[in-house]
Amino acid sequence: MARITVPENWRLHADAARERCRALERGDILYFPHTPLHFGEDDLQFLRAQKQSGASYHKNIAYRPAQDRITGYAGDQEERMRAVLGRFSRAAQSLMRECLSPFALEVEYASFRPLAEETRQLKTHARNDLLHVDNFPTRPTHGNRILRFFVNLHPTLPRIWRTGPPLPELLERFGAISGVIEKTRAGAGKQKWLRGFQRLGFPVQSRPEYDRFMLSFHHWLKENQAFQNDPGHARWEFPPMSSWMVFTDTASHAVLGGQFAMEQTMLVSRGSLLEPKIAPSTLVENLIQSRSA
Ligand code: SIN
Ligand code: FE
């Protein structure tokens, strides 16, 4: 896994968009030493003053673009927070579309992460300082890919990440021995049951096989001490006001330190990928099939 620096004049190189997409699909990080987005000084001051006191169990403040609504905010300037996050989200969306023009992108949530990562106390599966690949517990992606764009808004401190091998290597090493395939299969009965409820009109979500596998694998990686302690993992610093993009369903990652990050998530449709053979959904489907033969 590599961190690839995007040149400042990337807009002049539309022809390089395919290369950027391919690098992301492989699990590399696209790194912008100076964020391409503009933040007003007023907005920065407002964001850096957020403490989220008494709500440290909230991982972050989420912004839902489709409804122009925020959740998880514990302060008393909701309107302002919504406006700032809305501006960021719209700018990040157009940046991602421009920078990665071959991808068909569907807008997901944005978030602001005002807490110091070093001081957070969370349950194992919610801890972001343990290496993992992303999957949404409540919103299955159906094999579409999770692409994230980050900005470090801290005035002086870097955001510190650790990264491990990309998903293809993780599946090769752990896919069969983790017991996650068996767990995924065992969950199939429950899904049938849920679909029955759906037919009766109840608003329950069943999870496709791919998402069941990825969520179990996410948990398994976080619980696996030997994997977490592997000294071969890389460490990255993202300085103040830098940005980066990454497929967090492929690049195993953990955040070790930092505060005040802003993030926009997009789903990349499976059909628009340039390297569908290494897409997580393809790999997981192949793995499950090969084990049932
Ligand atoms: C994560 O997606 O695991 C956290 C990344 C971050 O907040 O820097
Ligand atoms: Fe993550």
Side-chain angles (χ1 to χ4, degrees):
M1 229 186 92
R3 182 169 84 171
I4 297 172
T5 300
V6 179
E8 200 112 5
N9 64 355
W10 61 270
R11 283 194 166 85
L12 303 176
H13 298 276
D15 50 322
R18 291 179 74 81
E19 252 169 76
R20 292 194 284 267
C21 291
R22 280 186 206 282
L24 288 172
E25 288 182 47
R26 279 198 304 271
D28 292 342
I29 297 175
L30 291 187
Y31 171 56
F32 302 78
H34 305 286
T35 183
L37 297 190
H38 173 76
F39 290 86
E41 210 39 58
D42 276 7
D43 284 354
L44 285 175
Q45 271 180 26
F46 169 71
L47 291 167
R48 290 165 181 165
Q50 299 302 315
K51 299 242 167 29
Q52 281 288 89
S53 56
S56 58
Y57 54 87
H58 277 303
K59 286 174 83 161
N60 46 52
I61 300 163
Y63 174 76
R64 304 180 175 204
Q67 295 121 7
D68 189 22
R69 197 164 87 78
I70 59 173
T71 56
Y73 178 57
D76 56 5
Q77 295 194 66
E78 175 136 358
E79 193 45 40
R80 174 103 199 252
M81 183 56 87
R82 188 180 61 85
V84 173
L85 272 166
R87 271 199 296 281
F88 160 76
S89 176
R90 286 184 292 277
Q93 288 168 39
S94 36
L95 169 80
M96 291 166 91
R97 291 191 197 286
E98 185 181 358
C99 186
L100 307 170
S101 47
F103 284 159
L105 300 171
E106 186 194 321
V107 184
E108 252 285 333
Y109 298 171
S111 66
F112 177 53
R113 302 160 183 233
L115 300 171
E117 294 297 329
E118 296 86 337
T119 61
R120 297 177 62 180
Q121 309 251 320
L122 296 163
K123 293 210 171 100
T124 304
H125 293 169
R127 277 176 59 184
N128 277 343
D129 60 328
L130 296 171
L131 275 173
H132 64 282
V133 285
D134 285 348
N135 186 258
F136 303 135
T138 54
R139 306 187 302 287
T141 66
H142 300 270
N144 294 326
R145 302 201 50 185
I146 302 174
L147 176 68
R148 296 197 138 140
F149 170 77
F150 291 88
V151 190
N152 176 12
L153 294 177
H154 199 284
T156 54
L157 294 176
R159 194 163 192 85
I160 303 169
W161 271 30
R162 180 157 52 184
T163 60
L167 188 70
E169 194 181 321
L170 293 176
L171 290 179
E172 215 158 276
R173 275 167 63 186
F174 305 122
I177 61 163
S178 60
V180 170
I181 300 174
E182 291 72 15
K183 253 204 190 125
T184 305
R185 280 215 200 94
K190 185 175 159 219
Q191 299 304 311
K192 241 192 219 154
W193 198 68
L194 282 175
R195 278 193 292 275
F197 271 99
Q198 277 170 339
R199 276 195 292 275
L200 294 171
F202 288 97
V204 289
Q205 275 235 26
S206 54
R207 280 182 87 72
E209 191 169 69
Y210 166 70
D211 288 276
R212 296 208 307 278
F213 179 96
M214 287 298 277
L215 194 60
S216 290
F217 197 53
H218 163 277
H219 295 347
W220 186 85
L221 289 173
K222 284 189 177 174
E223 287 160 8
N224 190 300
Q225 285 302 323
F227 169 64
Q228 294 296 332
N229 296 334
D230 187 332
H233 299 148
R235 184 181 186 278
W236 307 98
E237 293 201 358
F238 300 98
M241 300 313 285
S242 67
S243 272
W244 60 106
M245 289 185 199
V246 61
F247 269 121
T248 51
D249 55 9
T250 275
S252 56
H253 60 283
V255 56
L256 303 184
Q259 191 177 12
F260 304 128
M262 202 85 124
E263 168 269 340
Q264 173 70 53
T265 301
M266 293 276 219
L267 287 182
V268 179
S269 93
R270 234 180 132 160
S272 70
L273 297 169
L274 304 182
E275 305 274 5
K277 280 205 185 99
I278 55 166
S281 53
T282 311
L283 299 173
V284 166
E285 281 158 13
N286 289 346
L287 178 70
I288 293 178
Q289 249 173 32
S290 73
R291 290 275 136 184
S292 61

